[in-house]
Amino acid sequence: MPILEPAPLPRDWQPRRLWPLALNTAFLALIAITAVLVGAGSRLTGGEGQGTYFLVGGLFIGGIALSTGLVNLHRRRRTAEQSQATQTDGSLRVPYRPAAFAGYLLLPLVTLALFGLLFIGFVVTLSNGDLDGAGVTVGVVSAAVVALALWWTVELARGAFRRGALTLSPEGVSHRGWTFESFSSWEDIRAVSADNTAGPSVRLSTDAGRALWSSADLRSAVSDLRSGAPVDPALPALAGQERTSGGTRVRRRTSRALPAPEFDDGRDIVLPVRWFAVDPVLLYRLVRFYADTPSARPELATGAAAQRLRSDQLPMM
């Protein structure tokens, strides 16, 4: 039978405070509404240029407020049967929350729509020869913002920035984050613990003898290779690549569009629980159960793992 209430959070997780997020979102929304009202009033009184700037700025800030709210929306903790984990391709998959991805998807689209209009206005004004100092500033700023939004859009289109997921298979654990990928076999995972990297998270500590190498480690080791200095024999000669794959390990970045402290923190696999479409404690118990119970791992290739999660047939931690 599923439990009626989610289990209490591990003591190592710091409680999340909701009021700073709500206050920040409300503040941005207030600024957006004020800017739109000022812009509309300015246009009605004849100040079309200034009114347009206020309108575009207000709509942009409103888009940020909405995007921030979607990305960081306080999610009611789910009971076991409400998880979005699915059985697919011989593994159990737990995706990131769709609301978070919608927020990241919305931001570049809103930015392109609004600052694109400003940039078009700048080009028209430039072609008419009516450009002043303020117009130059608007043109430079809008061009820079449009370039950044286009870069983010391209990263989304080519799949370098995408909705993440945790995949558990009989072979190992794969974590596809917003802008990185990592994999470790079960044999290389020596501990699963509650952590606070990038907020409450689950840390899968890996075998130190064949550790995952971060980008900084790789650059340093490649430099040692070129200088003839001694190099850790566990490191393959990758010559500038950010990927290590020795049959049991994969670790690489797919984009620089977003900071990823859970990737750059070290050589372990770190799962920021706030992103996943499953209760954080259930996620912790799920990963720890299969890490500690090798005999149960074959069921990850069948529907039994998803059923175990939804019926909460996982030991308490």
Side-chain angles (χ1 to χ4, degrees), residues 81-93:
E81 72 274 14
Q82 295 173 312
S83 72
Q84 295 184 19
T86 56
Q87 200 77 35
T88 178
D89 298 329
S91 59
L92 182 70
R93 184 176 183 273

Side-chain angles (χ1 to χ4, degrees), residues 102-116:
Y104 281 129
L105 185 64
L106 177 67
L107 185 58
L109 298 180
V110 171
T111 303
L112 278 177
L114 298 179
F115 280 85

